Amino acid sequence: MSDTATHRFSPPAPLLRTVLLAGVAAFGSGACGSGELELPEPRRLVVHSGERLAPAKERMEEVDAWIREQWDSIQMDPSFMIYTDAAEGPVYPWESLEVTESGDTARISVQGRSAGSQLYTIYAHYHLMAVQGRLDRWLPEGEDADEFELEKAILSRVADVWLYQRSILDAPPYGLLDELVYAKENDFLDEFVLTARPDAFVEARKEYMAENPERTDAYRDWFRLTFEREPPGLRGGSRQD
């Protein structure tokens, strides 16, 4: 069932409310990026286990600048369309993404009108730009990368967007995206991707595990401690979020 049929939609109401109260416009206004308004101090993120993240304001200012430019392009660029469909439950960005060979259309599923809906559109946008050969503007580090390194670079940017939404826009927690952010911030992004998607990057996984045999157990121990559940890919088909 189609939820939002184009890539031109407004931020979810909870985000708009929080941002307006803080005196900061939502994505696409260009206000913060142009220096007209100052970002508020980022708030700390915390999960049930008590593990916290405290992003630096300077870093969030950098994210604010590039994400506004990217979101403006997503809304205005006529060379592609991104369709979002409503998912019945939690879904990781990569689980339902479909991109046409021509790179002019993408479909991706989002759980209802969750706070992460824009982020899923951004994830799809990166993949569209890869097919169109236009990553040099939006993700230079992924331009000549292999499949795994490209996906990791995209998810690293997606994690930054969610960290921004959570710490600056006061977006409510969303288990699957919180996992991604915490994994990146604790230097476990490689393990997160390779464990969650063992069939997607088979050769990269074999090579990484051969070179870093101790990291798999370290990642699993860290994830259990932080989220009090097994990591994605080791849950027997249940996300348990």
Side-chain angles (χ1 to χ4, degrees), residues 5 39-40 43 46 66 113 138 166 229 239:
L39 291 185
R43 70 179 184 87
V46 60
W66 61 256
R113 294 295 296 164
W138 305 112
R166 293 276 277 114
R229 59 179 179 263
R239 296 188 185 90

Side-chain angles (χ1 to χ4, degrees), residues 84 166 175 177:
T84 57
R166 293 276 277 114
L177 298 180

